Amino acid sequence: MRWNQRKEGLSDSRPLVIIKLGGSAITIKDSYFALRKEVISGISDEIRDFFPERRMIIVHGGGSFGHPVAALYSLQNGKDSNAPSMALSDVEDAMMRLNRSIIEALRAVKLPAFPVQTAAVSRAKEGRLEAVNSAFFSELLSWGLLPVCYGSLVFDNTMGYSIVSGDNISVALALKLKASSIIFVSDVDGIYDSDPKVHPGAKLIRVYHALGSSLKEDRVPSGKDVTGGIANKIRSVVPALSAGIEVRIVNGLKRGQLSSALKGEDVGTKVVI
Ligand code: ATP
Ligand code: IP8
């Protein structure tokens, strides 16, 4: 398998996988600006084992970087928040710092990670992602690169700006670029019948029906999570499921779970329609 299909003029039939690195896995979400460095480097090792046989796009969440800054100024409310322009700069700076840490870990294992500033390639309307420049991601992939973007402040046609979750960016890219699967990497094994951090006896649901009964979510969204918790994640993947894209949630704190999902093994929770 060649890294650079474009240079060789070859068509590319390698499956595309979108990996959403949840803020709960790559940062300590109850804290401020706290990275899980070992988790990030473990995940990078796992990704390296599948590259370049799989084409991949990494999207990461805000965790303890983007969310507290956005919450401080209520940036999710757009121009109604009356936030100073410095706040817009602060949230992007927080996300770029987190992005930098991920890029460094991926490059450390010789992966050609390429940062993409989400706000520069997307647009929102009424607080929802309206457009993302998927052609730009396609071009990066065609040069054998590993694009890494993130949930972000996005300029919004009606609200001025809003905060778009990495979950929605993952789904939009998966749909436009016809990905085979989206893997959500979290800090729990998958979807449970209630929040496993609140209820130690909670049971893991191996196959979760996204349009079935509503998810029991006790702990989130907390005041600091401006894009909503796991219930919102489930809602956002419905269009991907309808398009036949596989969706799985795995635990990034457990070494090997991401690899199993990339191999197509039955790990974590498979979300179905
Ligand atoms: P970010 O938005 O920062 O990227 P994330 O994508 O990692 O975060 P969260 O929105 O934090 O995801 O959702 C994961 C969290 O949801 C877990 O840490 C878990 O404690 C919580 N949770 C609440 N209810 C449930 C449930 N029923 N099943 C699984 N997790 C749940
Ligand atoms: O953590 C939100 O993205 P998410 C990003 O994927 C910011 O929901 C800036 C809070």
Side-chain angles (χ1 to χ4, degrees), residues 20-25 29 61-63 67 167 185-188 190-197 215-220 225 227-230 233:
K20 160 76 198 293
L21 299 180
S24 64
K29 231 173 141 166
H67 285 286
D167 299 345
V185 179
S186 168
D187 66 340
V188 293
I191 298 173
Y192 288 76
D193 57 4
S194 60
D195 187 344
K197 290 192 192 140
L215 187 72
K216 202 158 174 302
E217 181 186 29
D218 300 287
R219 215 175 54 92
V220 283
D225 190 320
T227 51
I230 199 148
K233 193 182 298 297

Side-chain angles (χ1 to χ4, degrees), residues 137-194:
F137 286 85
S138 250
E139 186 155 23
L140 297 183
L141 292 170
S142 76
W143 287 108
L145 293 163
L146 176 60
V148 186
C149 69
Y150 45 89
S152 175
L153 178 129
V154 171
F155 293 95
D156 187 303
N157 292 345
T158 47
M159 293 169 58
Y161 54 83
S162 52
I163 301 289
V164 172
S165 172
D167 299 345
N168 297 95
I169 292 160
S170 301
V171 170
L173 287 174
L175 286 168
K176 283 191 132 187
L177 299 173
K178 301 194 179 353
S180 56
S181 62
I182 310 175
I183 303 171
F184 288 92
V185 179
S186 168
D187 66 340
V188 293
D189 283 359
I191 298 173
Y192 288 76
D193 57 4
S194 60

Side-chain angles (χ1 to χ4, degrees), residues 29 57 100 121 127 157 174 178 262:
K29 231 173 141 166
I57 295 176
R100 185 74 220 145
V121 294
N157 292 345
K178 301 194 179 353
L262 283 163

Side-chain angles (χ1 to χ4, degrees), residues 43-106:
I43 286 172
S44 302
D45 281 337
E46 293 192 46
I47 292 172
R48 182 200 46 206
D49 292 342
F50 293 85
F51 193 90
E53 283 73 22
R54 304 269 200 302
R55 292 180 303 148
M56 292 181 259
I57 295 176
I58 314 288
V59 181
H60 64 82
S64 59
F65 284 69
H67 285 286
V69 180
L72 182 65
Y73 298 101
S74 302
L75 295 178
Q76 68 278 16
N77 298 332
K79 58 181 187 299
D80 287 349
S81 65
N82 287 316
S85 44
M86 197 64 196
L88 279 61
S89 168
D90 284 349
V91 76
E92 185 61 14
D93 181 59
M95 290 308 296
M96 285 180 83
R97 279 167 60 190
L98 179 55
N99 185 259
R100 185 74 220 145
S101 298
I102 292 163
I103 295 283
E104 273 169 14
L106 294 166

